[in-house]
Amino acid sequence: MKQSRKLPKRKCRWCGAEFEKLRPLQIVCSSACAISLNKRKREAANKKAQAEAKRRERAVIKARRHALETKPQLTKRAQAAFNAFIRLRDKHQSCISCGNPLPDTPNGYDAGHYRSVGSAPNLRFNENNCHGQCKRCNNYLSGNHVNYRLRLAERIGLEAVEKLESDNKPLHYTKDDLRQIERLYKEKRRELL
Ligand SMILES: [Zn+2]
Ligand SMILES: [Zn+2]
């Protein structure tokens, strides 16, 4: 009887050639292939380490930038994002105060607060409290308040208006809250577009 010692066949992990497995953990056909494979593994590991270092560096830069941002700056940015959303939301509405059609240009009208940011800062990001308003009403008629109230009641209901009028619950925003509000309203605006 012929004795044949059968070695398991393997495919070289580097060159793809078939080889007979001589050692338990052998995955390549030759030492040349072993060197090439190891080189590629090292390069991949280096690349990964570099990417990780870059990521950490970016995180440090971001943390530094965040530390330098002040609350007034972040509030301003969040308010700009919120107001831009309100203007787009009310694009085809009439002025909340005088009822005239709003001009068909993005900056042709304002986002006017019913209760002003100065007197009710807790409502500065309240969507019921802010509506598309012509520049005349916003800038020259001090918000045209009496008419604002009338049309606001038509739009959101008297109950919601009264809720705004009695809402004096102080709201304090952290820097991260403000960043989140800015992100949220940029996102909401994009969704409308
Ligand atoms: Zn090989
Ligand atoms: Zn108006």
Side-chain angles (χ1 to χ4, degrees):
M1 211 166 64
K2 202 175 151 200
Q3 186 100 27
S4 76
R5 189 169 149 262
K6 260 195 152 179
L7 286 166
K9 293 269 190 196
R10 287 284 182 279
K11 239 185 173 181
C12 174
R13 196 73 73 76
W14 179 255
C15 70
E18 272 202 345
F19 68 93
E20 286 182 341
K21 196 172 172 181
L22 301 169
R23 298 184 309 278
L25 296 173
Q26 190 178 354
I27 55 169
V28 286
C29 68
S30 63
S31 56
C33 283
I35 288 167
S36 296
L37 185 67
N38 276 334
K39 190 166 168 240
R40 192 174 65 186
K41 276 184 181 166
R42 263 201 315 280
E43 280 166 3
N46 280 343
K47 234 182 180 172
K48 205 175 154 193
Q50 274 168 16
E52 176 63 20
K54 253 199 189 129
R55 197 193 59 73
R56 270 200 302 270
E57 194 185 312
R58 271 197 301 270
V60 168
I61 289 169
K62 189 176 170 187
R64 249 185 238 144
R65 194 185 66 226
H66 275 190
L68 289 174
E69 285 167 345
T70 64
K71 260 194 190 183
Q73 281 172 341
L74 291 168
T75 304
K76 208 174 150 188
R77 263 165 42 192
Q79 193 72 66
F82 173 86
N83 290 4
F85 162 75
I86 295 292
R87 282 199 305 275
L88 187 64
R89 183 198 67 185
D90 292 354
K91 194 173 152 79
H92 301 296
Q93 298 269 24
S94 49
C95 169
I96 190 69
S97 300
C98 66
N100 287 330
L102 293 169
D104 198 17
T105 45
N107 292 315
Y109 55 97
D110 295 330
H113 284 77
Y114 175 58
R115 292 185 66 200
S116 73
V117 168
S119 68
N122 55 319
L123 300 176
R124 59 160 65 239
F125 303 120
N126 183 307
E127 291 177 26
N128 272 347
N129 189 47
C130 195
H131 296 267
Q133 189 177 46
C134 76
K135 287 190 179 284
R136 185 167 167 270
C137 285
N138 191 27
N139 298 325
Y140 303 111
L141 303 175
S142 311
N144 198 351
H145 203 77
V146 174
N147 288 321
Y148 196 140
R149 189 175 195 278
L150 284 172
R151 287 200 172 73
L152 185 60
E154 282 171 19
R155 207 173 282 183
I156 67 171
L158 188 59
E159 207 178 311
V161 175
E162 285 171 345
K163 204 174 152 211
L164 287 176
E165 288 168 343
S166 63
D167 186 350
N168 294 304
K169 196 173 72 221
L171 270 182
H172 298 289
Y173 298 107
T174 65
K175 283 162 87 174
D176 270 338
D177 291 338
L178 293 165
R179 287 185 191 104
Q180 213 176 335
I181 290 168
E182 183 188 2
R183 263 201 307 278
L184 171 73
Y185 280 101
K186 280 183 171 169
E187 180 61 40
K188 287 182 81 159
R189 186 168 179 276
R190 261 197 303 277
E191 273 167 23
L192 286 184
L193 289 170

Short mmCIF file of all heavy atoms in Angstrom, two decimals, residues 42-80:
data_model
loop_
_atom_site.label_atom_id
_atom_site.label_comp_id
_atom_site.label_asym_id
_atom_site.label_seq_id
_atom_site.Cartn_x
_atom_site.Cartn_y
_atom_site.Cartn_z
N ARG A 42 2.21 46.69 8.69
CA ARG A 42 2.80 47.82 9.43
C ARG A 42 2.29 49.14 8.89
O ARG A 42 1.95 50.05 9.64
CB ARG A 42 4.33 47.78 9.31
CG ARG A 42 5.03 47.11 10.49
CD ARG A 42 6.50 47.54 10.57
NE ARG A 42 7.18 47.53 9.30
CZ ARG A 42 7.68 46.42 8.70
NH1 ARG A 42 7.56 45.25 9.28
NH2 ARG A 42 8.30 46.51 7.54
N GLU A 43 2.23 49.24 7.55
CA GLU A 43 1.76 50.48 6.94
C GLU A 43 0.32 50.78 7.34
O GLU A 43 -0.04 51.91 7.63
CB GLU A 43 1.88 50.41 5.41
CG GLU A 43 3.30 50.67 4.92
CD GLU A 43 3.48 50.27 3.46
OE1 GLU A 43 2.49 49.84 2.82
OE2 GLU A 43 4.62 50.37 2.97
N ALA A 44 -0.48 49.73 7.34
CA ALA A 44 -1.89 49.92 7.72
C ALA A 44 -2.00 50.38 9.17
O ALA A 44 -2.78 51.26 9.51
CB ALA A 44 -2.66 48.62 7.51
N ALA A 45 -1.16 49.77 10.03
CA ALA A 45 -1.18 50.14 11.45
C ALA A 45 -0.74 51.60 11.64
O ALA A 45 -1.31 52.35 12.41
CB ALA A 45 -0.28 49.20 12.26
N ASN A 46 0.30 51.99 10.87
CA ASN A 46 0.76 53.38 10.93
C ASN A 46 -0.32 54.34 10.51
O ASN A 46 -0.53 55.37 11.14
CB ASN A 46 1.97 53.57 10.00
CG ASN A 46 3.25 53.06 10.65
OD1 ASN A 46 3.28 52.86 11.87
ND2 ASN A 46 4.29 52.84 9.86
N LYS A 47 -0.97 54.00 9.41
CA LYS A 47 -2.03 54.86 8.89
C LYS A 47 -3.13 55.05 9.94
O LYS A 47 -3.64 56.14 10.15
CB LYS A 47 -2.64 54.20 7.65
CG LYS A 47 -2.63 55.12 6.45
CD LYS A 47 -3.28 54.41 5.29
CE LYS A 47 -3.30 55.28 4.04
NZ LYS A 47 -3.75 54.50 2.88
N LYS A 48 -3.48 53.93 10.57
CA LYS A 48 -4.53 53.96 11.58
C LYS A 48 -4.11 54.86 12.75
O LYS A 48 -4.90 55.67 13.25
CB LYS A 48 -4.79 52.53 12.08
CG LYS A 48 -6.19 52.34 12.63
CD LYS A 48 -6.43 50.89 12.98
CE LYS A 48 -7.49 50.78 14.06
NZ LYS A 48 -7.54 49.45 14.65
N ALA A 49 -2.84 54.70 13.16
CA ALA A 49 -2.34 55.50 14.28
C ALA A 49 -2.33 56.98 13.92
O ALA A 49 -2.67 57.84 14.73
CB ALA A 49 -0.93 55.05 14.66
N GLN A 50 -1.96 57.27 12.65
CA GLN A 50 -1.95 58.67 12.21
C GLN A 50 -3.35 59.26 12.20
O GLN A 50 -3.56 60.40 12.62
CB GLN A 50 -1.35 58.77 10.80
CG GLN A 50 0.17 58.87 10.79
CD GLN A 50 0.74 58.67 9.39
OE1 GLN A 50 0.00 58.76 8.42
NE2 GLN A 50 2.04 58.40 9.32
N ALA A 51 -4.31 58.47 11.70
CA ALA A 51 -5.69 58.94 11.66
C ALA A 51 -6.20 59.21 13.07
O ALA A 51 -6.87 60.21 13.33
CB ALA A 51 -6.58 57.91 10.96
N GLU A 52 -5.84 58.33 13.98
CA GLU A 52 -6.26 58.47 15.38
C GLU A 52 -5.65 59.74 16.00
O GLU A 52 -6.33 60.50 16.68
CB GLU A 52 -5.82 57.22 16.14
CG GLU A 52 -6.10 57.22 17.64
CD GLU A 52 -7.60 57.30 17.94
OE1 GLU A 52 -8.41 56.97 17.06
OE2 GLU A 52 -7.93 57.70 19.06
N ALA A 53 -4.36 59.97 15.69
CA ALA A 53 -3.69 61.17 16.20
C ALA A 53 -4.36 62.43 15.66
O ALA A 53 -4.56 63.41 16.38
CB ALA A 53 -2.22 61.15 15.83
N LYS A 54 -4.70 62.40 14.37
CA LYS A 54 -5.38 63.54 13.74
C LYS A 54 -6.72 63.80 14.41
O LYS A 54 -7.10 64.94 14.65
CB LYS A 54 -5.59 63.26 12.25
CG LYS A 54 -4.65 64.07 11.40
CD LYS A 54 -5.16 64.16 9.97
CE LYS A 54 -4.09 64.78 9.09
NZ LYS A 54 -3.82 63.99 7.89
N ARG A 55 -7.43 62.69 14.67
CA ARG A 55 -8.75 62.82 15.28
C ARG A 55 -8.63 63.47 16.66
O ARG A 55 -9.40 64.36 17.02
CB ARG A 55 -9.40 61.43 15.39
CG ARG A 55 -10.90 61.46 15.62
CD ARG A 55 -11.40 60.09 16.04
NE ARG A 55 -10.75 59.62 17.27
CZ ARG A 55 -10.99 60.09 18.47
NH1 ARG A 55 -11.90 61.03 18.65
NH2 ARG A 55 -10.34 59.63 19.53
N ARG A 56 -7.62 63.01 17.42
CA ARG A 56 -7.41 63.58 18.76
C ARG A 56 -7.05 65.06 18.67
O ARG A 56 -7.54 65.88 19.44
CB ARG A 56 -6.30 62.82 19.48
CG ARG A 56 -6.80 61.63 20.29
CD ARG A 56 -5.79 61.23 21.34
NE ARG A 56 -4.50 60.90 20.75
CZ ARG A 56 -4.15 59.67 20.34
NH1 ARG A 56 -4.99 58.67 20.48
NH2 ARG A 56 -2.97 59.43 19.80
N GLU A 57 -6.21 65.39 17.68
CA GLU A 57 -5.79 66.78 17.51
C GLU A 57 -7.01 67.65 17.18
O GLU A 57 -7.17 68.74 17.73
CB GLU A 57 -4.78 66.83 16.37
CG GLU A 57 -4.01 68.14 16.28
CD GLU A 57 -3.11 68.14 15.04
OE1 GLU A 57 -2.38 67.15 14.84
OE2 GLU A 57 -3.17 69.12 14.29
N ARG A 58 -7.85 67.15 16.28
CA ARG A 58 -9.06 67.91 15.92
C ARG A 58 -9.96 68.12 17.14
O ARG A 58 -10.53 69.17 17.32
CB ARG A 58 -9.84 67.18 14.82
CG ARG A 58 -9.40 67.58 13.42
CD ARG A 58 -10.44 67.18 12.39
NE ARG A 58 -10.71 65.74 12.37
CZ ARG A 58 -10.05 64.86 11.62
NH1 ARG A 58 -9.10 65.26 10.82
NH2 ARG A 58 -10.34 63.58 11.67
N ALA A 59 -10.05 67.08 17.98
CA ALA A 59 -10.89 67.17 19.18
C ALA A 59 -10.34 68.25 20.12
O ALA A 59 -11.10 69.01 20.72
CB ALA A 59 -10.97 65.82 19.88
N VAL A 60 -9.00 68.30 20.23
CA VAL A 60 -8.38 69.31 21.09
C VAL A 60 -8.65 70.71 20.56
O VAL A 60 -9.03 71.63 21.29
CB VAL A 60 -6.85 69.05 21.20
CG1 VAL A 60 -6.14 70.23 21.85
CG2 VAL A 60 -6.59 67.78 22.00
N ILE A 61 -8.51 70.87 19.24
CA ILE A 61 -8.75 72.18 18.61
C ILE A 61 -10.20 72.61 18.82
O ILE A 61 -10.48 73.75 19.16
CB ILE A 61 -8.40 72.12 17.10
CG1 ILE A 61 -6.88 72.02 16.93
CG2 ILE A 61 -8.93 73.36 16.37
CD1 ILE A 61 -6.44 71.70 15.51
N LYS A 62 -11.10 71.64 18.65
CA LYS A 62 -12.53 71.94 18.82
C LYS A 62 -12.82 72.35 20.27
O LYS A 62 -13.53 73.32 20.51
CB LYS A 62 -13.35 70.70 18.45
CG LYS A 62 -14.84 70.95 18.38
CD LYS A 62 -15.55 69.69 17.93
CE LYS A 62 -17.05 69.82 18.07
NZ LYS A 62 -17.73 68.55 17.78
N ALA A 63 -12.23 71.63 21.21
CA ALA A 63 -12.45 71.96 22.62
C ALA A 63 -11.92 73.35 22.94
O ALA A 63 -12.55 74.12 23.67
CB ALA A 63 -11.78 70.92 23.51
N ARG A 64 -10.75 73.68 22.34
CA ARG A 64 -10.17 75.01 22.55
C ARG A 64 -11.07 76.09 21.97
O ARG A 64 -11.32 77.12 22.58
CB ARG A 64 -8.80 75.08 21.88
CG ARG A 64 -7.67 75.17 22.88
CD ARG A 64 -6.37 75.35 22.14
NE ARG A 64 -5.45 74.27 22.48
CZ ARG A 64 -4.60 73.71 21.63
NH1 ARG A 64 -4.54 74.10 20.37
NH2 ARG A 64 -3.81 72.76 22.04
N ARG A 65 -11.57 75.82 20.76
CA ARG A 65 -12.46 76.80 20.10
C ARG A 65 -13.73 76.99 20.93
O ARG A 65 -14.17 78.10 21.16
CB ARG A 65 -12.80 76.31 18.70
CG ARG A 65 -13.42 77.39 17.82
CD ARG A 65 -13.85 76.83 16.47
NE ARG A 65 -14.93 75.89 16.62
CZ ARG A 65 -14.97 74.69 16.02
NH1 ARG A 65 -13.99 74.30 15.26
NH2 ARG A 65 -16.00 73.88 16.20
N HIS A 66 -14.27 75.86 21.42
CA HIS A 66 -15.49 75.93 22.23
C HIS A 66 -15.26 76.73 23.51
O HIS A 66 -16.12 77.48 23.95
CB HIS A 66 -15.98 74.53 22.58
CG HIS A 66 -16.83 73.95 21.49
ND1 HIS A 66 -17.55 72.78 21.64
CD2 HIS A 66 -17.07 74.37 20.23
CE1 HIS A 66 -18.20 72.53 20.51
NE2 HIS A 66 -17.91 73.47 19.64
N ALA A 67 -14.07 76.56 24.10
CA ALA A 67 -13.78 77.26 25.35
C ALA A 67 -13.72 78.77 25.11
O ALA A 67 -14.05 79.56 26.00
CB ALA A 67 -12.46 76.76 25.93
N LEU A 68 -13.31 79.16 23.88
CA LEU A 68 -13.19 80.58 23.58
C LEU A 68 -14.53 81.23 23.22
O LEU A 68 -14.68 82.44 23.30
CB LEU A 68 -12.21 80.80 22.42
CG LEU A 68 -10.73 80.54 22.72
CD1 LEU A 68 -9.91 80.63 21.45
CD2 LEU A 68 -10.21 81.52 23.77
N GLU A 69 -15.49 80.41 22.80
CA GLU A 69 -16.79 80.96 22.43
C GLU A 69 -17.52 81.46 23.68
O GLU A 69 -17.58 80.77 24.69
CB GLU A 69 -17.65 79.89 21.73
CG GLU A 69 -17.21 79.61 20.31
CD GLU A 69 -17.85 78.35 19.75
OE1 GLU A 69 -18.40 77.53 20.52
OE2 GLU A 69 -17.79 78.16 18.53
N THR A 70 -18.10 82.65 23.57
CA THR A 70 -18.81 83.19 24.72
C THR A 70 -20.30 82.92 24.57
O THR A 70 -20.79 82.68 23.47
CB THR A 70 -18.60 84.71 24.84
OG1 THR A 70 -19.19 85.34 23.69
CG2 THR A 70 -17.12 85.06 24.91
N LYS A 71 -21.01 83.00 25.67
CA LYS A 71 -22.46 82.81 25.63
C LYS A 71 -23.15 83.84 24.74
O LYS A 71 -24.02 83.47 23.95
CB LYS A 71 -23.04 82.85 27.04
CG LYS A 71 -23.31 81.47 27.58
CD LYS A 71 -24.20 81.58 28.81
CE LYS A 71 -24.26 80.22 29.49
NZ LYS A 71 -25.17 80.25 30.65
N PRO A 72 -22.79 85.13 24.83
CA PRO A 72 -23.43 86.09 23.92
C PRO A 72 -23.21 85.74 22.44
O PRO A 72 -24.13 85.86 21.64
CB PRO A 72 -22.75 87.42 24.28
CG PRO A 72 -22.29 87.25 25.68
CD PRO A 72 -21.95 85.80 25.85
N GLN A 73 -22.01 85.30 22.11
CA GLN A 73 -21.75 84.90 20.71
C GLN A 73 -22.64 83.73 20.30
O GLN A 73 -23.25 83.73 19.22
CB GLN A 73 -20.30 84.44 20.55
CG GLN A 73 -19.28 85.56 20.44
CD GLN A 73 -17.85 85.02 20.48
OE1 GLN A 73 -17.61 83.89 20.93
NE2 GLN A 73 -16.91 85.82 20.01
N LEU A 74 -22.71 82.74 21.18
CA LEU A 74 -23.50 81.53 20.86
C LEU A 74 -24.99 81.86 20.81
O LEU A 74 -25.72 81.31 20.00
CB LEU A 74 -23.22 80.43 21.89
CG LEU A 74 -21.81 79.84 21.82
CD1 LEU A 74 -21.51 78.98 23.04
CD2 LEU A 74 -21.64 79.02 20.55
N THR A 75 -25.41 82.76 21.70
CA THR A 75 -26.82 83.17 21.70
C THR A 75 -27.15 83.86 20.39
O THR A 75 -28.19 83.60 19.77
CB THR A 75 -27.09 84.13 22.88
OG1 THR A 75 -26.70 83.49 24.09
CG2 THR A 75 -28.56 84.51 22.96
N LYS A 76 -26.25 84.72 19.94
CA LYS A 76 -26.45 85.45 18.70
C LYS A 76 -26.56 84.47 17.52
O LYS A 76 -27.42 84.62 16.65
CB LYS A 76 -25.26 86.39 18.50
CG LYS A 76 -25.60 87.63 17.70
CD LYS A 76 -24.40 88.57 17.70
CE LYS A 76 -24.38 89.39 16.40
NZ LYS A 76 -23.15 90.17 16.27
N ARG A 77 -25.66 83.49 17.52
CA ARG A 77 -25.68 82.51 16.42
C ARG A 77 -26.95 81.67 16.44
O ARG A 77 -27.56 81.41 15.40
CB ARG A 77 -24.45 81.61 16.52
CG ARG A 77 -23.35 82.08 15.60
CD ARG A 77 -22.01 81.48 15.91
NE ARG A 77 -22.03 80.06 16.22
CZ ARG A 77 -21.00 79.40 16.72
NH1 ARG A 77 -19.86 80.05 16.96
NH2 ARG A 77 -21.09 78.12 16.99
N ALA A 78 -27.35 81.24 17.64
CA ALA A 78 -28.57 80.43 17.77
C ALA A 78 -29.78 81.26 17.34
O ALA A 78 -30.67 80.78 16.63
CB ALA A 78 -28.74 79.94 19.21
N GLN A 79 -29.79 82.55 17.73
CA GLN A 79 -30.92 83.42 17.37
C GLN A 79 -30.97 83.64 15.85
O GLN A 79 -32.05 83.62 15.25
CB GLN A 79 -30.78 84.79 18.08
CG GLN A 79 -32.05 85.62 18.01
CD GLN A 79 -33.16 85.05 18.92
OE1 GLN A 79 -33.03 85.04 20.12
NE2 GLN A 79 -34.24 84.54 18.32
N ALA A 80 -29.81 83.80 15.25
CA ALA A 80 -29.77 83.99 13.79
C ALA A 80 -30.33 82.74 13.09
O ALA A 80 -31.10 82.85 12.13
CB ALA A 80 -28.34 84.27 13.33
#
